[in-house]
Amino acid sequence: MHIVVCVKQVPDTKIIKINPKTNTLDRRSAPAILNPYDAHAVQEAVKIRKLTGGTISVLSMGPPQATAVIKRSVEIGADRGYLISDRAFAGADTLATSYALSKALEKISKEMPIDMVICGKHAIDGDTGQVGPGIARRLDIPPVTNVIEVAEVNLKEKTVLIKRKQTNGHELIQSQLPCLLTVEKEINDIEYSPLPNMIKAARYEPVIWAVSDFENVDRTQLGLKGSPTIVGKMFSPPKPEGGKRLEGTADDQVKELISLLMDKRELLMPKSAN
Amino acid sequence: MNLDDYRGVWVFIEETDGVIEGVSLELLGAGRTLADKLEVPLAGVLMGDGIKPLASKVIAHGADEVYMIDHPVMKHYRTESFMKGVIMLAEKYKPEIFLYGATPNGKDLASAVATDLNTGLTADTTMLDIDMDNRLFEASRPAFGGNIMATILCKKHRPQMATVRPKVMKALEPDPSRTGRIIEEKIALSEEDMRTKVLKIVKDITNKANLAEAHVIVCGGKGMGDLQNFQMLYDLADAIGATVGGTRDVVEAGWLPHHLQIGQTGETVTPKIYFAIALSGAIQHVVGMKNSEIIIAINKDPNAPIFDVATYGIVGDALEIVPKLTEQFKQMRNQKGGEISYA
Ligand SMILES: Cc1cc2nc3c(=O)[nH]c(=O)nc-3n(C[C@H](O)[C@H](O)[C@H](O)COP(=O)(O)OP(=O)(O)OC[C@H]3O[C@@H](n4cnc5c(N)ncnc54)[C@H](O)[C@@H]3O)c2cc1C
Ligand SMILES: Cc1cc2nc3c(=O)[nH]c(=O)nc-3n(C[C@H](O)[C@H](O)[C@H](O)COP(=O)(O)OP(=O)(O)OC[C@H]3O[C@@H](n4cnc5c(N)ncnc54)[C@H](O)[C@@H]3O)c2cc1C
């Protein structure tokens, strides 16, 4: 079983600075981490490998510093890592991102055929959740999004049994392999990394590919050029207007509130009574 | 691609067990405004097994047209089958704008469709508008934790697509006298070609669903001080038949389980009455509750941002006010001898 996990480096902070000129993230302002959902994706791959055996590769697109998230993935248990890094990839929206990643996945599958791709449900910076399903379309494999459990992997039949989270509950889905999953955080707990993994990770050097390492990529589909969406403008969210302040002692305020609510008592009634 | 070939605003209609999802009706409301500005028809895209009776409902909620595919393979949502249907319709009829609910299925479908149509998709939008000078769709979404909004444009590709958060847009009052055109299309799909199967659908009727459906919510913040004080919110909730929720800080403190968190990374709620008690009103919290009909804020800091969204504000100590409020409600309930039942 060969599982490839897509891992993204994201800024880790609640206060991210934005460059007002370019309307882009000032990534230097925040420490970079492995996207939390992707850590769960790697952990899930480790869980599956315990059952089926096989190899876990991780793939990232980003600047050279993104090797850090590949090392972190090796700590969790990945066997190998690939980084695609090139100016030509920069400024990609989700369409161009899924194109670049799918090209790299095709290249990896020539070295070793891929049985499963796992992505995070979303990345905490761009926060679209669109890259995973996009990759699945480009590789023409079925996507299963919002996965909360991989219940069974049947290598003989080449099928997996998956729990997919829904708005009000979940679905049990059977999918053929190869397929692409995007995982929720609740799928597993990140385990402490065993010492041998830590040692391996410290020395690990991922394979790094530039655009020139790819044979058949259409450069017009990469990076900013290949991105149909652009950020038009950034603005502060409109401030809603506040209402009435109740005055007086605590007792006065409570009394006034009760009487205001009594005027709207129909609102207090549960829906079934409407 | 000739951009002028693309006309009309489309909304993907999500349906479960013969019922249209609320978000789809909200999108018909929002889509109506966009279509009127552009002076083009608004269409709903309806797919499933035995969904024909729903077409009139789509029209009553504002659509001029319904594009429909009724097929047994579409009984449950699956990316494979739904994607094929939507792509076929979009290629044939060429809408300029196409909206989907930002639900698990809506996001999944839109991402797949955008890839095949080779067009842009803006995620999780909360504001929609048209730049009339350029006839361009302006889809805005909260970015970086909600502190700022980003307007995303798709200038050279069509359709311009977006997923839209549930409970942000407003559905129109249904007008059963509205008429519209129903366009039914056939598609060749067979179960044998499907690589995924939905084996079982399990409905979860726990608290999480309750919060989204709750009529009255009592939401507490970190300002309650400790777990013990937090319990007084349950007394208030009991007295008025409300559901208790909390801010992220409260969840992180372990006072409440995660599924009761309200806000950007928790639940979005729209109750009739929302009590915001001893919480500051951070933007990430406010995006999840600001569409409540009446918001009552209790906070000891007169400058707390929650007062900016509150219908009624009480500046004071929650530990003093909440028990008084609970007492009053209880008394009234007794006085009326159960005539007014809040629960
Ligand atoms: C404020 C802002 C708003 C944006 N809005 C949009 C928008 O509406 N539409 C749009 O198309 N683009 C948008 N973008 C661009 C988008 O963030 C980038 O395309 C980004 O490269 C991928 O999208 P994401 O972060 O949303 O990933 P997601 O789709 O949320 O990521 C899901 C998973 O895909 C995998 N993945 C994603 N990126 C990589 C990577 N570089 N390397 C390896 N694996 C990866 C990971 O497994 C990840 O967990 C926006 C960017 C910003 C800064
Ligand atoms: C990406 C991101 C996502 C997030 N998602 C969410 C989310 O989904 N939901 C969410 O809630 N938060 C979310 N947050 C966190 C959010 O930014 C705030 O930190 C959080 O909402 C604050 O919680 P609070 O109001 O309970 O606490 P505080 O901000 O500490 O506010 C406590 C308030 O209580 C008042 N107070 C104190 N004592 C009393 C008293 N005795 N009587 C009356 N008032 C009193 C204080 O004046 C203060 O206003 C998110 C943050 C980020 C960066």
Side-chain angles (χ1 to χ4, degrees):
Chain A
M1 177 102 176
H2 183 201
I3 305 174
V4 184
V5 184
C6 294
V7 294
K8 185 183 183 189
Q9 189 176 46
V10 296
D12 171 30
T13 180
K14 297 177 181 176
I15 319 132
I16 298 168
K17 291 205 187 80
I18 298 150
N19 182 332
K21 275 193 205 126
T22 55
N23 276 344
T24 51
L25 276 180
D26 179 6
R27 287 176 188 273
R28 281 159 306 176
S29 68
I33 54 160
L34 171 61
N35 179 38
Y37 289 88
D38 302 353
H40 290 277
V42 178
Q43 188 71 59
E44 195 59 24
V46 171
K47 263 177 74 184
I48 296 172
R49 188 184 52 191
K50 272 193 197 135
L51 302 172
T52 63
T55 305
I56 302 169
S57 305
V58 295
L59 166 65
S60 192
M61 176 175 88
Q65 306 87 283
T67 48
V69 298
I70 292 176
K71 283 173 176 273
R72 173 71 190 118
S73 304
V74 171
E75 279 179 14
I76 300 172
D79 299 296
R80 344 187 274 183
Y82 299 85
L83 174 67
I84 60 170
S85 192
D86 197 304
R87 291 198 94 88
F89 297 131
D93 72 355
T94 56
L95 195 73
T97 300
S98 72
Y99 178 72
L101 289 174
S102 67
K103 283 291 158 193
L105 287 165
E106 281 169 10
K107 199 168 155 77
I108 293 170
S109 74
K110 286 199 186 115
E111 295 177 3
M112 188 191 286
I114 299 171
D115 299 292
M116 186 187 279
V117 180
I118 311 183
C119 290
K121 178 190 138 195
H122 61 225
I124 59 169
D125 56 346
D127 192 17
T128 65
Q130 292 172 182
V131 171
I135 294 173
R137 278 311 301 145
R138 293 181 184 282
L139 300 179
D140 193 21
I141 59 176
V144 183
T145 48
N146 306 80
V147 174
I148 49 174
E149 190 184 331
V150 178
E152 195 183 299
V153 182
N154 187 332
L155 278 183
K156 227 168 74 215
E157 304 280 327
K158 286 210 158 276
T159 56
V160 274
L161 209 55
I162 298 154
K163 268 193 198 166
R164 174 175 188 241
K165 189 174 171 176
Q166 268 290 11
T167 321
N168 293 319
H170 68 264
E171 303 168 339
L172 192 64
I173 293 179
Q174 187 192 59
S175 173
Q176 290 177 12
L177 291 173
C179 63
L180 180 142
L181 314 182
T182 77
V183 301
E184 303 268 353
K185 275 187 186 170
E186 63 214 71
I187 193 166
N188 56 41
D189 294 317
I190 306 293
E191 289 166 18
Y192 286 105
S193 306
L195 190 61
N197 289 11
M198 308 282 276
I199 295 168
K200 182 176 176 194
R203 302 199 190 120
Y204 191 77
E205 298 285 343
V207 178
I208 301 179
W209 288 326
V211 171
S212 53
D213 292 310
F214 291 90
E215 279 108 54
N216 53 359
V217 351
D218 173 4
R219 280 173 180 262
T220 65
Q221 292 192 55
L222 292 176
L224 201 56
K225 248 191 289 172
S227 298
T229 63
I230 55 155
V231 178
K233 61 173 188 266
M234 296 266 202
F235 58 97
S236 297
K239 243 193 164 181
E241 267 175 48
K244 186 178 165 68
R245 291 270 172 122
L246 311 185
E247 307 291 342
T249 65
D251 285 315
D252 294 341
Q253 290 174 321
V254 167
K255 228 168 116 191
E256 191 181 353
L257 180 63
I258 300 260
S259 93
L260 282 165
L261 287 179
M262 279 306 104
D263 290 345
K264 302 195 186 301
R265 103 181 39 172
E266 71 287 352
L267 292 184
L268 275 165
M269 298 295 179
K271 250 183 204 158
S272 54
N274 281 349
Chain B
M1 173 176 286
N2 184 357
L3 302 188
D4 294 334
D5 292 345
Y6 291 76
R7 273 288 180 273
V9 177
W10 282 19
V11 171
F12 175 72
I13 306 293
E14 243 182 273
E15 165 267 350
T16 328
D17 303 331
V19 180
I20 297 177
E21 296 287 337
V23 65
S24 304
L25 302 178
E26 292 157 23
L27 291 192
L28 286 170
R32 187 70 261 166
T33 311
L34 300 176
D36 287 345
K37 274 194 183 174
L38 291 165
E39 297 176 14
V40 293
L42 171 68
V45 175
L46 189 56
M47 291 180 189
D49 183 18
I51 37 80
K52 285 186 186 133
L54 297 178
S56 59
K57 197 167 177 205
V58 174
I59 291 168
H61 277 86
D64 305 303
E65 298 169 339
V66 180
Y67 293 91
M68 192 160 71
I69 302 180
D70 200 338
H71 198 295
V73 169
M74 292 182 163
K75 182 164 172 53
H76 299 303
Y77 174 80
R78 265 182 296 188
T79 325
E80 294 178 272
S81 51
F82 275 64
M83 178 196 85
K84 287 205 174 100
V86 170
I87 290 169
M88 179 193 85
L89 292 174
E91 284 179 339
K92 185 164 173 186
Y93 295 103
K94 300 189 187 329
E96 59 194 301
I97 293 175
F98 201 162
L99 309 176
Y100 307 73
T103 58
N105 292 351
K107 289 182 68 121
D108 182 282
L109 176 65
S111 307
V113 169
T115 312
D116 278 63
L117 296 180
N118 193 38
T119 191
L121 173 62
T122 306
D124 292 295
T125 57
T126 58
M127 285 170 69
L128 307 174
D129 205 355
I130 305 284
D131 163 8
M132 283 310 288
D133 294 338
N134 301 299
R135 209 186 163 82
L136 210 55
F137 179 44
E138 296 180 319
S140 303
R141 57 180 304 225
F144 313 128
N147 297 312
I148 196 156
M149 297 283 295
T151 303
I152 313 278
L153 307 172
C154 175
K155 289 186 174 165
K156 296 187 191 131
H157 297 251
R158 293 293 178 274
Q160 306 163 88
M161 307 219 303
T163 59
V164 186
R165 286 227 178 120
K167 306 205 174 184
V168 175
M169 305 296 163
K170 286 246 177 320
L172 302 172
E173 279 300 317
D175 173 1
S177 68
R178 274 183 64 88
T179 54
R181 209 159 65 94
I182 295 173
I183 302 109
E184 191 176 352
E185 288 282 336
K186 295 265 171 272
I187 188 168
L189 287 175
S190 77
E191 193 53 50
E192 287 74 59
D193 297 337
M194 295 294 126
R195 294 174 292 184
T196 51
K197 296 205 183 316
V198 181
L199 302 181
K200 201 159 81 180
I201 293 177
V202 182
K203 290 263 188 293
D204 179 7
I205 35 171
T206 55
N207 282 324
K208 185 184 158 112
N210 284 350
L211 203 53
E213 301 290 316
H215 209 66
V216 182
I217 290 175
V218 172
C219 182
K222 200 62 192 299
M224 291 306 291
D226 57 33
L227 181 57
Q228 205 184 337
N229 288 341
F230 197 82
Q231 302 308 309
M232 69 173 61
L233 300 181
Y234 287 97
D235 297 339
L236 174 59
D238 276 348
I240 52 176
T243 307
V244 172
T247 62
R248 188 175 80 168
D249 288 28
V250 159
V251 169
E252 281 178 353
W255 303 352
L256 272 185
H258 180 259
H259 68 263
L260 295 179
Q261 178 182 321
I262 295 167
Q264 180 177 307
T265 42
E267 287 292 300
T268 301
V269 298
T270 48
K272 297 289 178 189
I273 303 183
Y274 189 92
F275 286 89
I277 303 180
L279 61 85
S280 56
I283 181 79
Q284 297 89 354
H285 183 75
V286 168
V287 293
M289 48 66 78
K290 65 167 189 261
N291 287 327
S292 308
E293 201 155 318
I294 291 186
I295 298 170
I296 297 158
I298 304 174
N299 196 304
K300 68 178 181 190
D301 171 9
N303 298 318
I306 190 65
F307 287 122
D308 295 342
V309 297
T311 325
Y312 305 123
I314 295 183
V315 179
D317 184 351
L319 305 183
E320 185 192 350
I321 289 171
V322 171
K324 284 188 198 288
L325 207 52
T326 308
E327 198 47 41
Q328 287 282 325
F329 275 120
K330 273 195 189 148
Q331 269 182 22
M332 285 178 31
R333 197 157 154 184
N334 295 338
Q335 273 168 20
K336 305 264 171 176
E339 185 199 317
I340 304 173
S341 144
Y342 305 111

